[in-house]
Amino acid sequence: MRLIFINALLVLSCVVSISAKHIDVTVAVVVDADSYSKIKGDIDAYMAAINRYDGKRTTLIIDRWGHPDSVRMALKKLYDSQSLEGAVLIGDIPVAMIRDAQHLTSAFKMDQTRDRKESSIPSDRFYDDFDLQFNYQGQDSDSLLYHYYSLRHDSPQTLESDIYSARIKAPVVPGKDKYELIAEYLRKAVAAKQNRREISNVLYFAGHGYNSESLNARVDEAWALRRQFPFVGTRKGSRLDFINFDEDDFVKFRLMAKLADPELDVALLHHHGSDDTQYLNGQPATSNTTQYIEAAKRFFRSKMRSSRDTVTSKKYYLENYDIPASWLEGAFDAQTEYDDSLYSASMDIHIPDTYGRVFNARFIMIDACFTGSFQLNDYISAHYIFNQGNTMAVRANSVNTLQDIWADRYVGLLNEGVCVGNWVKHTFYLETHLLGDPTFSFKAEKPSDLDHNIVVRRNNPQYWKKLFAKSDRSDIKALALLYQAKTISDEKLLALQENDADPIVRLAAFSLLKERGTDAQTRAIKAAMTDSYELLQRLGVLYAAKSGDSSLLPTLVKLYLDPATSVRVMFHVRTAFNLYPYETVERELNLARALNPFWTPDKGFAVFLTNLKRSYDSDRDDFGKLSVDTVTYKEKKFTITGQRNKCQILYLDKFLDYLANGDSPALRLMTAEALGWYVYSAEKDRIIDFCAKQIETEKDESVRNELEKTVRRLKH
């Protein structure tokens, strides 16, 4: 065993009893000093199991410094010298709280003037993406594991993790300390390596309000999953199961029972969430009048309880909703309040619901906001691995996440023997985190070196080109496209997106094309908007709503007037119309509708146009007020920061003028930052040129740095 000291970090390289055929990659096990002293035997046994059963060299890093920079430096040295594949962060490893990098998340957009605990993003991309550059902003005064970092203006402005990372950090479980929990989990991880199994049972779940509850999205996810897990329906005993939130008034009992099934291998959960709750149900649907009335009573009672002035509130609800006074009775009665609280709690999974339960799904993806808030002492996703069941790894998010992403991206690689770490590193946003053993893997359906080659052949595009040509597996082909992306032409990708029979391949091609910023980007968006795969169509319309290219409008109009357009796609179609002049949209809609006057109904169409005109007028007025001195700072700030979502181009002249001539340094800084979100905009080149020229004359250093960051984002 070798001992290496790196800035107060004790690094031990350990290779024992190697029986696997590969040992030319390294996994770093990073552990705090207290944890190692208390459970040394279990950590050593875990490392030995990785060596023996996974064929990967392990190196132990004992963090005696307690600072993210030191841990990162040690990992980078290993990456440069020992072909580091990934890192396991065990126990109380410092947390990098990232600031000025919200564009690296899928959805997080919070005012950074708020408490920095809330407005920063806990992210282990600090440890696994070595190209990112940060300025250190200090340690938190009371949460001592928190260290704040600002993404530098001269850093890359995109993510491309060099290694994977995962946390094994215990939650709060009554009756057990964190060291005992970690030790029990590590013993479970060793046992899982000794008894590796094939995937045979996959579950996906859809929660209330997710993806607009689109049935098309649910159906097409099953279609795609059957390609990603091709044994489903062909191998005896294999299953693809689906649970929708509305199967029961309180679906959590059904879902938790399924997650406890010892035959369940992979669970993909799509719903909303928080750090301590998984939101599953809405108000149960009913055709029973009595149940409708009881639901209304509970609603009004809850409003009364949250009111500051119960007398005024009671009068308001009685007069405006014309309800009987009896409906508000008992709002503050202890038993009624308890019953209402119990009813509400039954709709969702809360941390106490996990106590004493066993969860057996070997891998769980929680596609929800905040459920992976590992920086907290307690967080709900950890409870799935820290119990006596077989769950080994969970993918979750430390802050909020976007609904409309390729959540199941490459998940079929788990069927090819790829460890969860090598899978998840291709799906990282700033908020994405893997909890548990990243070296955990299922037994490959067919013998494969893919897990190894993801690391050792990552820079060999010819290997991936050949693999793409010979493989019949959707996710292998999709990954092969990613690894040869720098050598494959726009035309080749467009041909695949437009013509390949595999929806996963088409989606993979689109995902690369939309980032290229070439003329092919618009062609790719247009092709995606008419694809038969709902997710690809949805993402096509989503990026059309960020583009505003005039050539996309006819397709948007066609989708709006198509009665078969799914509800979530329609959501983005309506959003996209806001990027075009109202008169143009109205004219195109009326011309197209004249050819098929039976859809949409007159009343609904008129209401839509009224709302669209209102939105158009509101944007015009808001941008017009940017140069008006009497308009408040708050109003201007709302308009400026709103463009991170809207990317409005109709009034770009006014936006750019305010950047150059605005009288508030703080608002000019926000304008420079907001323009960095126009990555997919039809006016991107114009914005780049303007910002580049502004950099040459800009006197405010903060604004100049933000402009440099924006140019880097848009050029990528």
Side-chain angles (χ1 to χ4, degrees):
M1 183 175 289
R2 287 190 304 121
L3 301 180
I4 307 170
F5 289 91
I6 304 177
N7 277 20
L9 293 164
L10 181 59
V11 181
L12 301 91
S13 183
C14 174
V15 180
V16 299
S17 184
I18 302 162
S19 60
K21 62 181 177 179
H22 298 305
I23 198 65
D24 53 351
V25 296
T26 300
V27 176
V29 176
V30 185
V31 59
D32 69 277
D34 286 345
S35 293
Y36 191 66
S37 68
K38 292 179 183 296
I39 55 172
K40 176 181 183 299
D42 292 296
I43 292 172
D44 290 347
Y46 169 64
M47 293 174 63
I50 295 174
N51 300 149
R52 180 175 183 180
Y53 298 107
D54 299 320
K56 300 175 182 184
R57 179 194 304 114
T58 53
T59 294
L60 177 66
I61 301 176
I62 301 178
D63 176 16
R64 302 190 187 280
W65 187 261
H67 198 288
D69 286 336
S70 298
V71 177
R72 190 186 203 217
M73 183 181 71
L75 292 174
K76 180 63 164 63
K77 285 182 178 291
L78 290 173
Y79 180 74
D80 292 336
S81 63
Q82 295 190 29
S83 190
L84 183 65
E85 172 183 294
V88 194
L89 310 178
I90 300 178
D92 294 326
I93 303 303
V95 178
M97 304 288 284
I98 308 300
R99 302 179 65 74
D100 305 310
Q102 295 183 9
H103 55 285
L104 298 181
T105 70
S106 65
F108 189 76
K109 299 179 181 71
M110 184 182 288
D111 186 348
Q112 289 194 162
T113 62
R114 295 178 60 174
D115 185 333
R116 64 179 182 170
K117 279 191 179 72
E118 296 180 6
S119 61
S120 302
I121 302 146
S123 181
D124 286 337
R125 298 299 81 73
F126 182 87
Y127 294 125
D128 58 45
D129 190 332
F130 300 124
D131 295 323
L132 298 179
Q133 300 298 313
F134 302 93
N135 287 325
Y136 184 60
Q137 295 187 332
Q139 186 177 23
D140 196 86
S141 58
D142 50 58
S143 297
L144 298 183
L145 284 179
Y146 295 7
H147 293 258
Y148 296 92
Y149 290 87
S150 171
L151 184 68
R152 291 174 55 90
H153 67 279
D154 54 352
S155 167
Q157 301 298 313
T158 54
L159 291 175
E160 191 172 350
S161 291
D162 302 287
I163 63 173
Y164 57 72
S165 63
R167 291 263 175 177
I168 300 178
K169 179 176 179 287
V172 177
V173 176
K176 293 192 175 183
D177 70 28
K178 59 185 178 182
Y179 304 111
E180 181 183 3
L181 286 167
I182 293 173
E184 288 178 353
Y185 173 78
L186 293 175
R187 291 194 287 270
K188 184 167 69 170
V190 171
K193 294 181 185 303
Q194 295 170 335
N195 300 283
R196 193 171 275 111
R197 58 180 275 151
E198 287 187 347
I199 299 175
S200 62
N201 190 344
V202 179
L203 165 75
Y204 73 111
F205 169 83
H208 166 71
Y210 214 76
N211 295 142
S212 303
E213 299 174 16
S214 171
L215 294 179
N216 304 68
R218 308 319 194 224
V219 169
D220 274 18
E221 183 170 8
W223 177 45
L225 287 172
R226 287 179 182 276
R227 301 195 69 94
Q228 294 174 288
F229 298 102
F231 57 81
V232 173
T234 61
R235 187 200 304 157
K236 185 177 180 180
S238 65
R239 296 174 58 179
L240 173 63
D241 294 321
F242 171 58
I243 297 176
N244 206 46
F245 74 94
D246 57 2
E247 290 190 36
D248 305 288
D249 287 353
F250 307 114
V251 77
K252 77 175 183 180
F253 303 106
R254 180 188 298 271
L255 179 58
M256 287 194 293
K258 181 60 182 176
L259 293 173
D261 183 350
E263 297 304 313
L264 181 58
D265 297 300
V266 174
L268 309 171
L269 312 182
H270 308 292
H271 53 76
H272 296 293
S274 66
D275 60 275
D276 61 357
T277 306
Q278 293 172 260
Y279 300 120
L280 308 180
N281 277 106
Q283 178 62 43
T286 180
S287 57
N288 184 292
T289 304
T290 300
Q291 290 176 338
Y292 266 121
I293 293 173
E294 288 303 313
K297 289 179 179 179
R298 281 191 294 270
F299 170 79
F300 288 114
R301 288 197 296 262
S302 70
K303 290 295 184 181
M304 289 290 291
R305 294 182 191 117
S306 62
S307 173
R308 294 181 180 179
D309 184 343
T310 57
V311 174
T312 302
S313 293
K314 181 176 181 178
K315 180 180 179 182
Y316 172 82
Y317 291 122
L318 292 176
E319 292 179 353
N320 286 272
Y321 290 90
D322 194 26
I323 61 174
S326 61
W327 284 20
L328 302 178
E329 292 177 359
F332 299 98
D333 175 75
Q335 185 61 49
T336 301
E337 195 166 353
Y338 173 79
D339 291 342
D340 286 352
S341 177
L342 185 63
Y343 184 93
S344 178
S346 296
M347 293 185 182
D348 308 307
I349 298 176
H350 306 267
I351 285 178
D353 292 322
T354 67
Y355 297 159
R357 284 189 175 266
V358 169
F359 299 102
N360 283 310
R362 276 67 176 177
F363 169 72
I364 301 174
M365 180 186 75
I366 305 180
D367 179 23
C369 301
F370 295 103
T371 52
S373 298
F374 66 89
Q375 79 281 9
L376 303 176
N377 290 331
D378 204 7
Y379 56 113
I380 192 167
S381 57
H383 288 268
Y384 285 99
I385 60 174
F386 288 97
N387 64 82
Q388 297 304 310
N390 295 317
T391 300
M392 297 309 308
V394 175
R395 198 195 84 175
N397 302 293
S398 62
V399 294
N400 57 316
T401 187
L402 195 67
Q403 294 182 52
D404 299 297
I405 58 175
W406 187 3
D408 302 340
R409 187 170 190 166
Y410 307 134
V411 72
L413 295 179
L414 300 181
N415 189 49
E416 311 299 331
V418 174
C419 71
V420 290
N422 274 330
W423 162 68
V424 79
K425 75 177 182 181
H426 301 103
T427 70
F428 278 150
Y429 290 94
L430 205 59
E431 74 271 14
T432 314
H433 288 87
L434 186 63
L435 310 166
D437 174 20
T439 65
F440 169 76
S441 64
F442 293 94
K443 183 180 178 182
E445 187 179 14
K446 300 177 182 178
S448 171
D449 285 338
L450 185 59
D451 182 62
H452 181 251
N453 290 336
I454 282 174
V455 181
V456 301
R457 298 199 180 190
R458 61 184 179 273
N459 296 318
N460 183 350
Q462 287 304 311
Y463 166 79
W464 297 102
K465 182 178 181 180
K466 292 178 181 178
L467 186 62
F468 179 88
K470 72 178 184 180
S471 179
D472 62 353
R473 296 297 176 90
S474 295
D475 280 332
I476 291 179
K477 294 175 81 71
L479 184 70
L481 282 182
L482 176 68
Y483 274 98
Q484 58 176 313
K486 294 180 180 179
T487 62
I488 192 168
S489 69
D490 289 353
E491 291 304 317
K492 172 66 173 176
L493 285 174
L494 278 167
L496 288 172
Q497 185 192 330
E498 293 173 348
N499 302 313
D500 200 278
D502 191 328
I504 305 299
V505 172
R506 298 200 303 273
L507 180 53
F510 171 73
S511 296
L512 295 173
L513 282 167
K514 71 178 176 58
E515 302 295 337
R516 293 203 166 184
T518 62
D519 291 340
Q521 184 183 68
T522 300
R523 288 177 58 190
I525 292 173
K526 190 180 296 185
M529 291 164 66
T530 57
D531 199 274
S532 59
Y533 180 23
E534 190 274 346
L535 177 58
L536 179 51
Q537 184 182 62
R538 190 193 333 152
L539 293 177
V541 178
L542 171 68
Y543 289 102
K546 297 178 180 294
S547 170
D549 189 295
S550 59
S551 68
L552 300 176
L553 183 57
T555 306
L556 291 168
V557 168
K558 183 177 180 180
L559 286 170
Y560 179 79
L561 295 173
D562 185 347
T565 296
S566 77
V567 61
R568 192 64 183 177
V569 171
M570 185 63 77
F571 171 83
H572 292 299
V573 168
R574 291 174 174 142
T575 300
F577 282 146
N578 288 290
L579 293 184
Y580 302 91
Y582 171 77
E583 293 78 8
T584 302
V585 177
E586 181 188 32
R587 181 179 65 253
E588 292 295 322
L589 283 169
N590 280 318
L591 287 173
R593 191 165 178 263
L595 301 176
N596 184 10
F598 302 106
W599 189 262
T600 61
D602 291 344
K603 184 177 180 180
F605 184 65
V607 170
F608 170 71
L609 289 180
T610 298
N611 291 335
L612 184 63
K613 181 64 162 60
R614 184 181 297 116
S615 179
Y616 172 83
D617 291 341
S618 177
D619 281 347
R620 180 193 59 204
D621 293 344
D622 289 342
F623 277 95
K625 292 175 182 177
L626 286 178
S627 58
V628 178
D629 294 338
T630 56
V631 175
T632 66
Y633 174 93
K634 185 177 181 179
E635 288 179 282
K636 292 182 180 181
K637 176 183 175 181
F638 184 80
T639 298
I640 292 167
T641 57
Q643 301 320 306
R644 299 160 117 203
N645 284 325
K646 291 183 176 181
C647 297
Q648 179 58 264
I649 59 176
L650 291 179
Y651 312 102
L652 188 57
D653 287 341
K654 295 182 182 295
F655 209 34
L656 296 177
D657 179 69
Y658 189 80
L659 171 62
N661 304 306
D663 57 357
S664 168
L667 291 177
R668 291 184 62 239
L669 178 64
M670 291 178 198
T671 303
E673 194 272 343
L675 286 167
W677 295 79
Y678 284 63
V679 175
Y680 306 99
S681 175
E683 297 292 334
K684 181 174 66 173
D685 290 342
R686 180 183 169 199
I687 296 170
I688 291 173
D689 291 343
F690 187 93
C691 291
K693 291 177 181 177
Q694 186 66 28
I695 289 171
E696 297 175 359
T697 60
E698 183 57 55
K699 297 179 180 179
D700 187 310
E701 183 180 6
S702 296
V703 175
R704 185 169 61 252
N705 287 345
E706 195 62 49
L707 285 168
E708 289 186 17
K709 186 182 288 189
T710 287
V711 170
R712 285 176 181 268
R713 289 166 61 183
L714 298 185
K715 280 189 174 181
H716 175 81

